[in-house]
Each structure stands twice: as C-alpha cells, then as structure tokens.
C-alpha cells in the first residue's frame, strides 16, 4: 500500500511525500518488498535533485537486493548509482554510465524483467541525448511507444522527458519540436512539475520563433504552476530564450541563479553547461574577464565529457571571452526536418488516440 501511495504521490509531483512513504516502506518491509522499496527510494531521490543522497540510497539498495536474491533490482540500483555519481563526481564519465546501462539492459533482457528493460532503455536514450545524439535518443524511445499507455507513471514520465529534451535540443524544426512537446504533455497530465518543465521548454520554442508575447505568457503560466517549488530544469531553456529575444540582462540573471541552484546541491554535470551559458551571457555585455573565469570553471567540472552539447557551450563561451565578440544563439528554421519524426508522430498519435 505504501508503494502504491508513493507512486501516486510522484504522479502529483509530491516528491517529498513519495520519499517519506518509501522510507517507511523500507523500514517495515523485508525480502523482495524491501528490495523494491529501496530501489524506488533511490530513484525518487534523483527526481528530487538530491544526488548525494541518491547515491547513498542506491548503494544500500544494492546490498538489500543482493541479500534478498533480487537480481533485477540489484542491476537497476547499480544503474541508478552510476547516474547519480555522474552528476556529482567529475571523474565519472558518460562512457562509464553508458557501459553500465548497456550491460544492465542485456542482463535485464535475459532475466525477462519488463520494468527493468524499460528503465534501462530510457536510460540508454538519455545517454544518447547527453552525447549530443538527440535523433538517436528519440529512436531508442520509440521502442516503448507501442505499450507506453499501459506502463507505470514513472515510465511515462521518462518517455515524456526524453522526447521533450531531444526535440528541444535536436534537429527537429521548431514547429515539429512544439508538436512533440504537446504529445509529451499528454503522457504526464497529472504531474505538475513535469508539465511545467515541458511547458517551459515550449515557451523557449516560442521565443525561437520570435513570439515574445507567447513566450512571456507561457513562462508566467509555468511560474504559477510551480509557485515556490524549486526546479533546476527550468533555467537553461528560459535563459536561452531570453538571449534569443534580446533580453540579455534577464538571461544573465537566470544563468547566475542556475549556477547558485546547482552549486547548493553539489552538482557538476548540469552546472558544466550552465556555467558555459553564463560565460556567453557575460560576453554579451563585454565582461570578458569574468566570462573567461566561468568558462574555465565549466571545463574544470568536466562531467559527461563526450557530450557535444556541453563541449560546444564551453567552446563558445571561451571564444566569446577571448575575441570580445557577441555570440548570438542560432535560430533553428522550420525547413529542417527530423528524418524519423513522421514515424514518431504516427506512433504517438496512435498512442494518444488520434
């Protein structure tokens, strides 16, 4: 019962409530039930951006699963541990997490654990995204679309987040990316925080089209949804849109707030990107010495070292600082087509009933 209540709490974006319920479940259960509760606790802590606590919980979950002879949750907990370490340990590379994911997927397929297969598949899609291969990310997610409607909320949430991220940063046109976000929103109707993150990214897409009023309306809607709930996923797209729309002071303020947010959590992976973007914003104002310092910090973080997106951000920040030129964000034009978008569109349309 506690596990079911925790899942409903996650659907409502009540991460703190889900965490409390799962901690109670871990305390009062034993055997396979305790193993599952321990794993779900570690996964919930990632949603809360508490990566150090997540890593500790995942290590305990591995021990509990091993004691219960619960191999699927032991494998999945190792996967959570690798992801958590990638967020806080600059020496833990994307290649390491990807290797753990591929091994986990192969073993879970041998074990026939469908929930675990979905978990590892979506993690592999996320790794492709972090490598800068957004199209590949969507192709991997496609494997799950036919049965997504019957999957638990936690799986639908990951599908939506992967589709939202890959469409925003990838080769889709702006108009197609907006359509993808609309499909993703349908998968997470009950989750306020997830919907807010997707709407925030959609607001940035309006900004790319130069629709300033639509951008402002959307971000105001997001702010009302979240109220006082902190969410680190909002910063990047909001700051990038502000730069595109020429609101440079606003962009700088957003990126500074983002750096402070991730610093407070001991996080280095997202912060590598955000500090590079802050360097870009500082270059817009001719603050080249400070831009150099932020660029150096971005490189020092060095998480996910094969991510083309992060390396490109650091490179642009460094070039901006050294040459004293303002680097403008490039607007993706509606003429660019994502080669497998029509297949994705058809599958999502079928999934959502039209």
């Amino acid at each position: 019962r506690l596990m079911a209540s925790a899942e409903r709490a996650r659907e409502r974006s009540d991460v703190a409530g889900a965490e409390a319920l799962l901690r109670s479940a871990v305390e009062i259960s034993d055997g396979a039930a305790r193993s599952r509760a321990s794993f779900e606790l570690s996964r919930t802590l990632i949603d809360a951006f508490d990566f150090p606590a997540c890593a500790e919980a995942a290590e305990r979950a591995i021990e509990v699963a091993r004691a219960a002879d619960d191999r699927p949750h032991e494998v999945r907990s190792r996967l959570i541990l690798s992801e958590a370490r990638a967020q806080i340990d600059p020496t833990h590379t994307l290649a390491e997490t990807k290797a753990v994911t591929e091994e986990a997927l192969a073993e879970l397929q041998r074990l026939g654990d469908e929930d675990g297969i979905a978990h590892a598949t979506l993690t592999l899609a996320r790794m492709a995204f972090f490598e800068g291969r957004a199209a590949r990310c969507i192709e991997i997610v496609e494997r799950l679309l036919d049965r997504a409607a019957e999957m638990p909320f936690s799986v639908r949430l990951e599908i939506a987040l992967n589709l939202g991220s890959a469409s925003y940063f990838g080769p889709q046109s702006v108009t197609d990316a907006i359509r993808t976000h609309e499909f993703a929103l349908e998968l997470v109707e009950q989750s306020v925080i997830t919907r807010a993150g997707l709407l925030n990214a959609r607001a940035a897409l309006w900004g790319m089209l130069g629709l300033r009023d639509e951008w402002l309306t959307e971000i105001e809607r997001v702010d009302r949804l979240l109220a006082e709930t902190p969410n680190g996923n909002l910063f990047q797209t909001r700051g990038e849109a502000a730069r595109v729309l020429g609101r440079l002071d606003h962009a700088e303020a957003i990126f500074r707030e983002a750096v402070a947010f991730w610093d407070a959590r001991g996080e280095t992976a997202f912060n590598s990107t955000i500090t590079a973007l802050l360097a870009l914003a500082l270059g817009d104002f001719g603050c080249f010495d400070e831009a150099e310092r932020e660029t150096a910090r971005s490189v020092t973080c060095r998480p996910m070292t094969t991510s083309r997106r992060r390396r490109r951000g650091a490179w642009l920040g460094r070039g901006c600082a050294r040459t004293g030129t303002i680097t403008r964000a490039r607007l993706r034009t509606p003429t660019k087509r994502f080669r497998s978008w029509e297949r994705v569109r058809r599958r999502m349309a079928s999934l959502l009933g039209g």
Side-chain angles (χ1 to χ4, degrees):
R1 236 178 298 180
L2 287 172
M3 295 285 291
S5 296
E7 182 73 2
R8 288 194 294 272
R10 291 185 72 196
E11 287 188 29
R12 300 191 306 270
S13 300
D14 182 7
V15 178
E19 178 186 345
L21 289 164
L22 289 167
R23 288 191 185 280
S24 296
V26 170
E27 289 177 6
I28 67 174
S29 58
D30 55 20
R34 186 165 184 247
S35 174
R36 182 189 166 201
S38 298
F39 162 76
E40 293 293 347
L41 175 61
S42 68
R43 184 161 64 168
T44 299
L45 288 167
I46 263 193
D47 293 342
F49 302 121
D50 194 343
F51 302 112
C54 173
E56 292 178 8
E59 288 176 339
R60 288 194 296 271
I62 291 168
E63 295 173 0
V64 171
R66 188 180 296 124
D69 195 24
D70 182 356
R71 184 60 180 170
H73 281 115
E74 180 182 348
V75 173
R76 296 178 70 186
S77 295
R78 289 186 185 282
L79 189 50
I80 293 288
L81 177 59
S82 185
E83 283 206 89
R85 283 177 174 168
Q87 301 296 143
I88 56 178
D89 181 0
T91 66
H92 190 93
T93 66
L94 173 61
E96 290 178 84
T97 301
K98 184 178 178 181
V100 170
T101 305
E102 290 172 337
E103 291 170 6
L105 179 58
E107 181 165 1
L108 291 163
Q109 286 172 333
R110 287 195 297 272
L111 294 169
D113 186 85
E114 292 299 325
D115 288 344
I117 291 169
H119 174 199
T121 298
L122 289 165
T123 304
L124 192 63
R126 191 160 51 252
M127 294 304 103
F129 169 72
F130 285 146
E131 288 178 320
R133 298 190 296 152
R136 177 60 179 159
C137 173
I138 293 182
E139 288 172 358
I140 293 172
V141 172
E142 279 187 304
R143 302 174 191 173
L144 303 176
L145 294 185
D146 288 340
R147 50 199 175 94
E150 291 77 40
M151 289 181 168
F153 167 78
S154 56
V155 177
R156 288 184 281 116
L157 181 148
E158 291 296 331
I159 290 173
L161 291 177
N162 272 294
L163 287 174
S165 299
S167 62
Y168 176 83
F169 289 102
Q172 283 185 312
S173 71
V174 176
T175 51
D176 278 353
I178 289 172
R179 293 166 66 192
T180 302
H181 275 74
E182 290 169 352
F183 279 124
L185 284 163
E186 291 291 333
L187 292 174
V188 289
E189 288 186 30
Q190 287 75 39
S191 175
V192 174
I193 290 179
T194 306
R195 283 182 61 82
L198 290 167
L199 289 169
N200 191 71
R202 191 172 71 177
L205 293 167
W206 294 130
M208 290 182 186
L209 293 173
L211 301 175
R212 183 189 182 101
D213 291 342
E214 286 81 354
W215 173 70
L216 285 171
T217 299
E218 199 87 288
I219 63 173
E220 288 169 0
R221 179 184 178 190
V222 169
D223 289 341
R224 287 194 300 272
L225 281 172
L226 290 179
E228 297 180 2
T229 303
N231 190 325
N233 289 332
L234 304 184
F235 294 119
Q236 181 171 352
T237 54
R238 188 168 293 193
E240 289 175 340
R243 288 190 76 239
V244 169
L245 292 169
R247 300 186 58 169
L248 303 181
D249 55 342
H250 191 46
E252 180 192 356
I254 291 170
F255 293 139
R256 286 192 186 280
E257 183 182 359
V259 169
F261 179 92
W262 293 120
D263 278 349
R265 288 157 178 78
E267 203 277 343
T268 59
F270 295 131
N271 225 350
S272 175
T273 299
I274 292 297
T275 49
L277 290 168
L278 176 57
L280 282 173
L282 290 166
D284 290 338
F285 288 104
C287 302
F288 304 122
D289 290 341
E290 188 178 0
E292 279 279 13
R293 290 194 295 272
E294 293 298 334
T295 299
R297 184 181 176 204
S298 175
V299 173
T300 300
C301 287
R302 298 187 62 80
M304 307 291 191
T305 54
T306 59
S307 168
R308 297 172 186 170
R309 180 165 54 85
R310 287 186 172 83
R311 284 190 282 119
R312 179 177 62 195
W315 178 82
L316 286 173
R318 178 166 294 181
C320 175
R322 287 185 175 175
T323 63
T325 59
I326 296 177
T327 306
R328 296 293 182 186
R330 181 172 60 85
L331 174 65
R332 288 176 292 171
T333 63
T335 58
K336 293 184 67 179
R337 297 290 295 176
F338 173 44
R339 63 184 176 84
S340 57
W341 162 242
E342 288 301 325
R343 183 169 69 254
V344 174
R345 184 193 61 76
R346 287 194 298 270
R347 288 202 179 189
M348 291 298 289
S350 174
L351 171 68
L352 299 171

